[in-house]
Amino acid sequence: MHSDCLFCKIASGAFSTEFLVETENLVAFRDINPAAPTHVLVIPKRHIPSLARLGPEDQHLMGEIMLAVKQIAEQEGLDEGFRVVVNTGPDGGQSVNHLHFHLLGGRSLQWPPG
Ligand code: DGP
């Protein structure tokens, strides 16, 4: 855990955030500033700064995160579809430097994003 990382603190339970899913390796919780009726963040508990910093050792973890995304989409009733976004680095619009997967759904989403 990085003591100055917001998402490390959330994952540790420091803010009593409600988790939709929690496993040994990940947590999922609702975005504080939702951009869609369902807007959930799925994050690894371990501090990984961004997608650009993944290593071969993270292969299993990434699969676990994708399966959690699918499970949450089902729980949220996103039968008409959903979108998964991983903003990466300054040009990607990443504002929190702890890897996170946005799950967005519950409305028709536009493409391309801005
Ligand atoms: P990004 O811009 O891709 O780095 O997304 C960061 C997201 O994190 C953004 O949609 C807002 C969300 N967020 C920031 N701070 C908090 C917080 O304290 N709690 C929750 N639940 N979400 C947060």
Side-chain angles (χ1 to χ4, degrees), residues 6-8 28 36 40 45 55-56 62 64 74 78-79 82 87 92 103 105 107 114:
L6 172 65
F7 283 3
C8 281
V40 173
K45 286 185 174 176
M62 292 304 100
E64 193 183 332
E74 287 173 358
L78 303 179
D79 303 331
F82 54 87
N87 296 325
L103 167 61
R107 67 173 172 83

Side-chain angles (χ1 to χ4, degrees), residues 6-7 10 29-32 41 87 93-96 100 102:
L6 172 65
F7 283 3
I10 288 176
F29 53 93
R30 295 194 192 279
D31 195 291
I32 202 168
L41 301 174
N87 296 325
Q94 183 176 5
S95 62
V96 177
H100 50 282
H102 296 257

Side-chain angles (χ1 to χ4, degrees), residues 9-11 13-22 27-32 39-42 72 75-76:
K9 287 181 190 158
I10 288 176
F15 302 134
S16 301
T17 306
E18 183 187 344
F19 296 143
L20 285 73
V21 172
E22 178 173 16
V27 294
F29 53 93
R30 295 194 192 279
D31 195 291
I32 202 168
H39 188 168
V40 173
L41 301 174
V42 185
I72 296 162
Q75 286 174 6
E76 294 285 308

Side-chain angles (χ1 to χ4, degrees), residues 1-15 43-48 96 98:
M1 169 166 163
H2 283 206
S3 56
D4 57 348
C5 171
L6 172 65
F7 283 3
C8 281
K9 287 181 190 158
I10 288 176
S12 76
F15 302 134
I43 71 169
K45 286 185 174 176
R46 182 162 59 85
H47 184 79
I48 302 171
V96 177
H98 179 127

Side-chain angles (χ1 to χ4, degrees), residues 58-95:
D58 298 315
Q59 189 169 354
H60 181 83
L61 174 63
M62 292 304 100
E64 193 183 332
I65 287 177
M66 284 299 103
L67 289 171
V69 166
K70 179 204 166 215
Q71 178 191 332
I72 296 162
E74 287 173 358
Q75 286 174 6
E76 294 285 308
L78 303 179
D79 303 331
E80 298 301 315
F82 54 87
R83 184 172 294 166
V84 181
V85 175
V86 187
N87 296 325
T88 304
D91 277 3
Q94 183 176 5
S95 62

